[in-house]
Amino acid sequence: MSSYIIGVDGGGTKTVAVLWDYNGNEIKRFVSGFANFSISKEETIKNIEDAISNVKGNHEISYIVLGIAGRINNNLRLEVEKHLNKMFNTTTKLITDGYLALNSVGYDLDATMIIIGGTGSVVYAKNKEEIVSIGGFGHILGDEGSAYHLVLEAFRYMINDIQSNLKVSNFTKEMFEALNIKEIDEVKDFIYSKSKDVAASKAIFVSNLAKEGNEVAIKLLTTEGESLGLQAVLALKKLGINEVTIELKGSFLLNAPYVKENFLEVLKNNKIKFNISENNNEPVIGAFNLAKKIIQKERKLNF
């Protein structure tokens, strides 16, 4: 009987693969390059293959659970699963990174939720076997409650400030200085020429201004926190529950001023009963939890 599981957490910058035995003991891990099909399908598949190969070694694998950033259409899912099944002679399940992370939170609890507010954003929640996701449509269609979206909103404010007023605000002046730009057209050049990660990194400038008491910066950050809160409330309404265990993920949500506080305030105002999980499990742990559940159900094995 096969007795090993591989979990893979693929993101925009790195891919983490872990090999476990059935008792959940970590045997080996390996980190390779990014795993995001919207960046490059070929390189993503290569990085996934490298990560799995390095942890697999000579072990016989009973299941691979693979979480990938972004939304995955069904045709791509089936294609990748079939390819990996053949390559590694096992069964593969491809899911989103948000669903992977959700399965790392309070796995034995009926009602759980994970809020990811980093470069991008997404909300996943479950009640028993029912799962919903809100957001996660990427930086063009969504990502409210993220560092990237904050930068976009800051730039939009600056553009409107320059074009609508004879005297620009201190916020715009400070942002011009922080970004080392002199003309508003440089904002356009920046946002269209830089990667999502590079653009999102400029959220620190807005955070710094908020810490200094700048009202525009505070409002922008407050709005991002509220947006995440409203997404969380919507997810719970779809599930028909108002009590949940929540895990917060993402440096923007956890570290940027005013974001977490206003996120929680929205939950309280909507009479949501919640506990904040402190287990801090890596998202890749969700792969083991999910594989274990599938194996127990499909193959009637207890471990």
Side-chain angles (χ1 to χ4, degrees), residues 75-89:
N75 288 336
L76 178 60
R77 184 194 311 278
L78 293 174
E79 177 189 343
V80 173
E81 289 178 346
K82 182 178 179 180
H83 171 71
L84 295 177
N85 290 347
K86 183 177 180 180
M87 184 172 186
F88 296 107
N89 191 31

Side-chain angles (χ1 to χ4, degrees), residues 115-188:
I115 315 294
I116 301 176
T119 299
S121 65
V122 67
V123 173
Y124 271 85
K126 76 177 179 75
N127 181 30
K128 298 180 181 178
E129 297 300 315
E130 186 178 3
I131 296 168
V132 301
S133 66
I134 302 294
F137 287 95
H139 61 290
I140 295 176
L141 294 176
D143 270 353
E144 293 86 350
S146 72
Y148 186 87
H149 191 265
L150 173 73
V151 171
L152 284 186
E153 291 300 295
F155 283 7
R156 290 185 180 115
Y157 177 90
M158 292 159 61
I159 291 168
N160 184 67
D161 193 20
I162 291 287
Q163 294 187 339
S164 303
N165 301 305
L166 295 175
K167 184 178 179 180
V168 299
S169 67
N170 285 332
F171 176 83
T172 298
K173 291 177 182 177
E174 294 284 353
M175 287 295 291
F176 266 50
E177 184 176 344
L179 293 165
N180 194 28
I181 62 175
K182 294 180 172 57
E183 302 290 337
I184 195 63
D185 281 350
E186 294 180 64
V187 168
K188 179 175 69 175

Side-chain angles (χ1 to χ4, degrees), residues 8-258:
V8 182
D9 179 18
T13 58
K14 66 179 180 179
T15 298
V16 179
V18 178
L19 174 72
W20 292 280
D21 63 21
Y22 272 12
N23 294 318
N25 298 309
E26 181 175 321
I27 308 301
K28 187 178 180 181
R29 72 168 51 210
F30 185 83
V31 179
S32 63
F34 69 84
N36 189 322
F37 292 113
S38 64
I39 298 175
S40 169
K41 178 181 175 181
E42 292 74 18
E43 288 189 62
T44 290
I45 291 176
K46 180 182 181 301
N47 290 335
I48 291 169
E49 291 173 350
D50 288 346
I52 294 174
S53 295
N54 272 279
V55 297
K56 179 183 181 297
N58 295 321
H59 297 91
E60 189 177 354
I61 307 302
S62 62
Y63 222 95
I64 298 173
V65 175
L66 171 65
I68 295 294
R71 290 183 176 266
I72 307 161
N73 66 54
N74 196 49
N75 288 336
L76 178 60
R77 184 194 311 278
L78 293 174
E79 177 189 343
V80 173
E81 289 178 346
K82 182 178 179 180
H83 171 71
L84 295 177
N85 290 347
K86 183 177 180 180
M87 184 172 186
F88 296 107
N89 191 31
T90 188
T91 302
T92 304
K93 185 175 182 63
L94 176 59
I95 59 177
T96 65
D97 59 341
Y99 184 38
L100 185 79
L102 178 65
N103 279 280
S104 72
V105 183
Y107 186 69
D108 295 327
L109 301 175
D110 285 340
T112 58
M113 172 183 285
I114 186 161
I115 315 294
I116 301 176
T119 299
S121 65
V122 67
V123 173
Y124 271 85
K126 76 177 179 75
N127 181 30
K128 298 180 181 178
E129 297 300 315
E130 186 178 3
I131 296 168
V132 301
S133 66
I134 302 294
F137 287 95
H139 61 290
I140 295 176
L141 294 176
D143 270 353
E144 293 86 350
S146 72
Y148 186 87
H149 191 265
L150 173 73
V151 171
L152 284 186
E153 291 300 295
F155 283 7
R156 290 185 180 115
Y157 177 90
M158 292 159 61
I159 291 168
N160 184 67
D161 193 20
I162 291 287
Q163 294 187 339
S164 303
N165 301 305
L166 295 175
K167 184 178 179 180
V168 299
S169 67
N170 285 332
F171 176 83
T172 298
K173 291 177 182 177
E174 294 284 353
M175 287 295 291
F176 266 50
E177 184 176 344
L179 293 165
N180 194 28
I181 62 175
K182 294 180 172 57
E183 302 290 337
I184 195 63
D185 281 350
E186 294 180 64
V187 168
K188 179 175 69 175
D189 295 338
F190 176 87
I191 206 67
Y192 287 118
S193 66
K194 302 298 183 183
S195 68
K196 180 179 176 180
D197 288 347
V198 170
S201 70
K202 305 309 176 185
I204 189 65
F205 297 144
V206 183
S207 293
N208 289 341
L209 288 174
K211 291 175 183 177
E212 294 170 4
N214 185 283
E215 292 184 3
V216 174
I218 291 171
K219 177 60 177 174
L220 289 170
L221 285 156
T222 297
T223 300
E224 296 300 324
E226 290 173 346
S227 294
L228 272 180
L230 292 173
Q231 291 177 65
V233 170
L234 178 58
L236 295 176
K237 284 183 177 179
K238 282 178 171 288
L239 290 171
I241 57 176
N242 69 344
E243 189 167 352
V244 68
T245 295
I246 301 174
E247 184 151 329
L248 308 179
K249 295 284 189 183
S251 58
F252 179 70
L253 171 58
L254 294 173
N255 300 323
Y258 299 97

